Amino acid sequence: MHAITIPEPGGPEALVWDEVPDPVPGEGEVLVEVAASAVNRADILQRQGFYNPPPGASPYPGLECSGRIAALGSGVSGWSVGDEVCALLAGGGYAGKVAVPAGQLLPVPDGVDLKQAAALPEVVCTVWSNVFMVAHLRPGETLLVHGGSSGIGTMAIQLAKAVGAKVAVTAGTKEKLEYCAELGADVLINYREQDFVAEIERATDGAGADVILDNMGAKYLDRNVRALAVNGRLAIIGMQGGVKGELNIATLLNKRAAVSATSLRARPLSEKAAIVAAVREHVWPLLAAGQVRPVVDRELPMPEAPEAHRVLEASDHIGKVLLVTP
């Protein structure tokens, strides 16, 4: 098969489409013939040499994919060769085939194109696990999503609205904010021109955001805590704004607030399987009913992975960028 390899860390040009051995599914795994994979910022970090796959995972980038089951490893039940699936991966999505633990498989939802289903696993599992399983967003509460037009952001808006929450978003252009509004966002904040703390205070009559989903990390830490409501919950899922920030414990105590930080890739298989099972139970019916949908900016042939990384790094996209196998 062919896969995107990284002979040496570097810029987008470090991604090389090359012939590699086919993976073999182990016990409890299935082999998926990949139709498409989606590009995530974690892939960029891996390309740069900063985010290696966990032990035993595929060395190729790609944290999610869609495709058809080509073979079953021993001990696998409930799936058949030929089933159309999408999958949460620890790596290996940028390839013709990938071996996946059966607990990280999901059927392609009714009404969703096979290729576009590649845009779902990582974002849905990230949003559901952080916003709902950890931060426990409830109907009537306010969610603030940083990067509202990203893959994570566009899914967070839709899921929060589906459960009856109010949604505020930050984004850097008028066009991106308008798209967020089309998805249901109630409060639109241009982070280049507006102070999101002040805008959240204004939009909530001084109460603050009950839950904040943050991809920036250190840069926004202090302001995020100030923007929280009493009993608010800050869920950090990224560090685009740095890794070391100052936290005002007094403000956190006064608000009786909580700060959590999670990632998916390095979690034990049992935890990933539990998240995937929750997503299948709670989110898949919303997708089948058309209440929630994947947002795909563009599809590129997988050998053009360097260009896909350039698009993501330029941040001029909305939703997900897909890589489609030749």
Side-chain angles (χ1 to χ4, degrees):
M1 72 172 188
H2 280 77
I4 291 291
T5 64
I6 310 173
E8 295 289 338
E13 68 283 352
L15 300 173
V16 179
W17 183 244
D18 202 359
E19 192 166 356
V20 299
D22 282 13
V24 177
E27 184 177 359
E29 293 183 332
V30 304
L31 184 66
V32 174
E33 186 173 358
V34 175
S37 184
V39 182
N40 291 281
R41 292 199 176 270
D43 304 336
I44 293 173
L45 292 175
Q46 180 173 340
R47 186 202 76 213
Q48 295 169 335
F50 300 133
Y51 192 29
N52 292 327
S58 169
Y60 317 124
L63 298 180
E64 55 192 336
C65 76
S66 62
R68 295 178 177 87
I69 294 178
L72 303 176
S74 61
V76 174
S77 61
W79 300 99
S80 301
V81 171
D83 285 350
E84 293 191 343
V85 296
C86 53
L88 180 69
L89 308 173
Y94 292 18
K97 297 176 182 177
V98 63
V100 186
Q104 292 166 219
L105 281 181
L106 289 156
V108 171
D110 292 340
V112 177
D113 175 79
L114 175 62
K115 292 177 181 177
Q116 296 218 341
L120 292 172
E122 177 76 11
V123 295
V124 176
C125 288
T126 297
V127 172
W128 191 262
S129 62
N130 284 278
V131 175
F132 298 95
M133 297 174 73
V134 175
H136 302 292
L137 181 70
R138 295 182 287 269
E141 291 191 323
T142 297
L143 169 69
L144 168 61
V145 182
H146 290 301
S149 63
S150 67
I152 293 288
T154 53
M155 182 55 62
I157 293 168
Q158 295 180 82
L159 289 178
K161 294 301 294 183
V163 302
K166 180 177 181 179
V167 180
V169 298
T170 64
T173 69
K174 177 183 177 183
E175 292 73 21
K176 288 183 177 182
L177 289 171
E178 287 175 347
Y179 193 89
C180 292
E182 291 177 12
L183 292 176
D186 305 285
V187 181
L188 311 176
I189 304 168
N190 187 324
Y191 67 80
R192 302 182 192 277
E193 302 172 357
Q194 297 169 289
D195 174 14
F196 72 79
V197 179
E199 294 303 319
I200 286 296
E201 184 176 359
R202 184 177 299 112
T204 60
D205 295 325
D210 299 287
V211 176
I212 299 177
L213 185 63
D214 174 60
N215 60 350
M216 292 301 292
K219 183 178 180 180
Y220 279 8
L221 181 59
D222 177 67
R223 284 190 288 165
N224 276 333
V225 172
R226 287 193 281 122
L228 282 174
V230 172
N231 295 315
R233 292 86 73 195
L234 168 61
I236 301 172
I237 58 170
M239 48 189 179
Q240 293 179 42
V243 299
K244 294 184 179 180
E246 186 170 298
L247 178 63
N248 188 323
I249 300 298
T251 303
L252 200 66
L253 285 169
N254 287 337
K255 294 190 173 187
R256 302 187 296 281
V259 178
S260 64
T262 72
S263 65
L264 276 174
R265 191 178 201 180
R267 288 191 185 213
L269 296 182
S270 59
E271 290 187 18
K272 291 182 184 179
I275 292 169
V276 168
V279 161
R280 185 170 182 175
E281 178 183 356
H282 297 286
V283 182
W284 253 228
L286 298 175
L287 286 158
Q291 290 180 259
V292 174
R293 60 181 175 85
V295 176
V296 176
D297 185 276
R298 68 193 76 183
E299 298 178 6
L300 295 171
M302 196 169 287
E304 295 182 21
E307 176 59 23
H309 277 220
R310 292 185 187 100
V311 169
L312 212 68
E313 289 179 299
S315 291
D316 61 357
H317 63 293
I318 292 176
K320 302 285 283 189
V321 176
L322 299 186
L323 292 171
V324 178
T325 53

